[in-house]
Amino acid sequence: MSARKIIIDTDPGQDDAVAILLALASPEDLDLLGVTCVAGNVPLELTSKNARIVCEAAGRTDVPVYAGSAAPLARPLITAEHVHGQTGLDGPDLWEPAMPLADGHGVDFIIDTLRSHEPGTVSLCTLGPLTNIAAALSTAPDIIPRVQEIVMMGGAYFEVGNITPAAEFNIYVDPEAAESVFKSGVPVTVMPLDVTHKVLATKPRVEAIRALDTRVGHFTAEMLDFFERFDVEKYGSEGGPLHDPCVIAWLLKPELFSGRHVNVEIETASELTLGMTVADWWGVTNRKPNALFIGDADADGFFTLLTERLARL
Ligand code: RIB
Ligand code: CA
């Protein structure tokens, strides 16, 4: 079976970086057509620098990296340096990437790519705020039926919020963008905090990656050494949740995950619950299901997959 064509839309971020590495380590499964960057964890200038650092770390400077939206559709940008550090990739020694940004805007790349491939053959893997995706869908509605699937990290139901008591960061940064994506009719699979908080980069798991004793193994372990601080402090967890790599692992081994088709709507009006993903998990409304909302994962299977694939780089 030929490799699945994907675009990764991202705001690196250590967990984004691990997701990109996992995709790059799986060329027989995933044909990464390009990376589009969005402002989120850190401003766009840094997310688009960090994405190129990750591609260079993997030896894949052939993958085009585009800068996309520098701010949410209708709100000022909120960033998360308190989680990811000032660079967005704190932990390992970083460098100025030699590979240039690809010409053009990330949103135009998404539109052009969907228009130039057979309908239903390109999936969008979103690891940050949904600004680029919403902008592409509204600028070129003809691409909506051409998207195979949007697989996103975002939202929460049982786990509620990580940036406010009610909202997960990716959705909270651009709730209007999220609302338009969930209302678009594009098939959506959601990796919310409900599942990402179950795949924790515990010490033994991080040490198994470090023990690969490769450039990528050390790079990844050093990112995770830094990344765990916030969640260990906040939740008392045994390690940092690997949010974004769940998106890629779903494409590689969906059997590692389970969830339900439910209706998900986004709070865009209330300041108290802005950005909340209101998931009808128990089916108490007659709202039409619009997303596969993932609630559980085989964490050991996830880390076995991740470590085996990273060993290839
Ligand atoms: O809430 C977690 C999400 O926000 C992850 O994608 C992380 O990288 C940040 O973007
Ligand atoms: Ca992210």
Side-chain angles (χ1 to χ4, degrees):
M1 198 169 94
S2 63
R4 184 165 175 172
K5 297 182 187 331
I6 65 170
I7 293 171
I8 291 179
D9 191 74
T10 180
D11 64 336
Q14 290 89 348
D15 59 322
D16 302 69
V18 179
I20 296 166
L21 290 170
L22 179 56
L24 292 173
S26 310
E28 75 283 16
D29 298 299
L30 300 173
D31 178 4
L32 180 53
L33 302 176
V35 173
T36 53
C37 301
V38 66
N41 286 321
V42 287
L44 179 66
E45 188 186 347
L46 283 174
T47 59
S48 52
K49 172 183 175 184
N50 293 342
R52 286 176 286 153
I53 286 175
V54 176
C55 288
E56 288 188 346
R60 290 295 310 277
T61 56
D62 58 298
V63 176
V65 174
Y66 294 85
S69 305
L73 296 180
R75 294 176 183 274
L77 177 62
I78 292 165
T79 53
E81 286 86 351
H82 62 292
V83 178
H84 300 274
Q86 288 306 311
T87 69
L89 276 191
D90 280 25
D93 291 335
L94 302 177
W95 60 92
E96 198 57 37
M99 71 182 278
L101 277 174
D103 291 337
H105 195 286
V107 171
D108 294 330
F109 172 73
I110 292 168
I111 294 169
D112 296 344
T113 303
L114 285 163
R115 284 177 169 163
S116 59
H117 286 78
E118 281 303 302
T121 62
V122 177
S123 292
L124 305 178
C125 301
T126 73
L127 313 181
L130 291 161
T131 315
N132 287 339
I133 309 306
L137 299 183
S138 64
T139 305
D142 61 286
I143 67 173
I144 290 174
R146 304 181 74 91
V147 182
Q148 180 178 22
E149 180 182 20
I150 292 175
V151 187
M152 72 168 70
M153 191 279 140
Y157 181 61
F158 294 101
E159 285 294 293
V160 286
N162 63 356
I163 190 74
T164 74
E168 179 278 328
F169 179 79
N170 286 342
I171 307 298
Y172 181 70
V173 167
D174 200 339
E176 285 75 19
E179 182 181 48
S180 70
V181 169
F182 278 92
K183 287 187 172 172
S184 68
V186 172
V188 172
T189 297
V190 185
M191 293 287 164
L193 298 180
D194 303 57
V195 63
T196 68
H197 280 183
K198 295 175 181 172
V199 287
L200 300 179
T202 59
K203 278 271 174 274
R205 289 166 173 165
V206 175
E207 292 316 312
I209 291 170
R210 199 186 322 271
L212 294 174
D213 200 19
T214 60
R215 178 187 183 194
V216 166
H218 288 294
F219 183 72
T220 302
E222 288 159 14
M223 283 194 292
L224 297 182
D225 290 343
F226 180 89
F227 180 62
E228 71 164 16
R229 301 154 28 268
F230 175 77
D231 289 85
V232 167
E233 213 170 286
K234 175 171 179 177
Y235 298 104
S237 54
E238 301 158 41
L242 273 192
H243 306 291
D244 294 336
C246 287
V247 167
I248 304 303
W250 162 259
L251 296 176
L252 297 174
K253 287 191 85 171
E255 62 272 24
L256 291 174
F257 299 92
S258 63
R260 286 184 190 179
H261 275 99
V262 297
N263 176 270
V264 178
E265 303 212 358
I266 309 297
E267 177 59 72
T268 57
S270 155
E271 282 308 306
L272 180 62
T273 55
L274 184 70
M276 184 173 191
T277 45
V278 183
D280 187 6
W281 183 264
W282 301 113
V284 295
T285 75
N286 58 4
R287 296 176 199 152
K288 185 168 171 286
N290 59 349
L292 174 58
F293 202 79
I294 301 297
D296 209 353
D298 167 359
D300 287 335
F302 171 88
F303 278 94
T304 300
L305 171 68
L306 175 61
T307 309
E308 280 173 358
R309 294 294 169 102
L310 290 178
R312 299 173 166 186
L313 295 174

